[in-house]
Structures are given as C-alpha cells and as structure tokens.
Amino acid sequence: MSNTNLVSLRIITSDITRLVKFYEQVAKAKAKWATDDFAEIVLKSFTLAIGSTRTLAFFGEGTAEAAANKSVIIEFLVENVDEDYQRIKDITTEIVQEPTTMPWGNRSLLFRDPDGNLINFFTPVSDDVKKKFA
C-alpha cells in the first residue's frame, strides 16, 4: 500500500462566492474561509478546496483555468442517492443523469456545479460494493 494519500481536491473558479455556496448545499457542510479567495469544505474523507482565479498568481501563468474541466468527476458517497436526488433538484437544474443503477454495483446521480464540473452522488447497491465501503 502506498504512503501517498489524497486529502484535498481544489477547484478554481471565477465566482468563488457562488461556488462555495453551491458546495455547502451539496455537501451539507459549512466552508471555512481562509481569505476572500480561498475556502475549504472539510468532509470526513477529504477536503474540497475552492480558490478564486486570483490564487493562480501564486502558481504561475496558465497553470489552471476556471470552468474548463471535461475529464474529472467529483464523487460523493451518499447514504441514499434517491433521497438526495430530491434535494439536489432544488439546488441545480443541471441534472445529467437521474439515479440509475450502474453495472458495477452503484446507484448513481450525475449533475453539474455552476462551473460545469461533473458531480456523482452514488450509493452502493450490490453486495460486493457494499462490502467495499462498509
């Protein structure tokens, strides 16, 4: 087993207030603001960090671009994806896929945040996957 541990995912946005508010609703957790340009939502398994485009000055020109993700899915394990679907419909109209049972044993809901990032809420439904997350 590796000593490497994923502890944080950072999203860069041009509208940090809007995106932080959205993820606070999605994650049902309050953000901790370090500055006006950086906030974190600390969850049990990892931290979702959200930085404004102004924070990119610390990393160098062209290192990241807001609202340009087309390859990463942010995944949240939830207790009951069907119940969460009712709540998520009140937060966003960008539903990509209503709750669907996937061939690999998860029931999955796909939706987008205000910057277009894809989010997957999933609940294990097969016995093998339930054991994996027990």
Side-chain angles (χ1 to χ4, degrees):
M1 189 144 129
S2 172
N3 288 341
T4 304
N5 187 22
L6 177 64
V7 295
S8 177
L9 170 74
R10 185 180 312 184
I11 301 172
I12 299 297
T13 182
S14 59
D15 190 341
I16 191 167
T17 303
R18 176 189 66 175
L19 205 60
V20 167
K21 209 176 277 188
F22 175 83
Y23 277 103
E24 284 178 326
Q25 291 179 294
V26 165
K28 297 189 280 186
K30 194 79 176 139
K32 296 177 184 173
W33 288 84
T35 70
D36 290 343
D37 292 314
F38 186 81
E40 294 178 316
I41 298 174
V42 179
L43 304 172
K44 187 167 78 172
S45 58
F46 81 107
T47 297
L48 179 60
I50 302 171
S52 80
T53 51
R54 290 182 294 271
T55 64
L56 295 177
F58 297 104
F59 301 118
E61 184 80 25
T63 55
E65 182 181 339
N69 173 33
K70 295 292 183 196
S71 62
V72 174
I73 302 172
I74 304 165
E75 298 190 309
F76 293 88
L77 174 65
V78 298
E79 195 170 314
N80 186 320
V81 73
D82 293 288
E83 287 178 10
D84 274 307
Y85 174 55
Q86 299 308 314
R87 183 175 64 83
I88 295 302
K89 286 192 307 186
D90 292 337
I91 299 171
T92 183
T93 59
E94 294 289 325
I95 303 295
V96 175
Q97 174 185 279
E98 294 180 3
T100 303
T101 302
M102 306 307 283
W104 45 87
N106 289 328
R107 190 146 173 80
S108 179
L109 161 66
L110 294 173
F111 58 100
R112 293 194 184 278
D113 74 15
D115 281 2
N117 297 303
L118 192 58
I119 301 166
N120 179 28
F121 268 26
F122 73 95
T123 301
V125 292
S126 75
D127 290 338
D128 286 343
V129 179
K130 284 179 182 178
K131 287 178 195 170
K132 177 180 171 183
F133 289 102

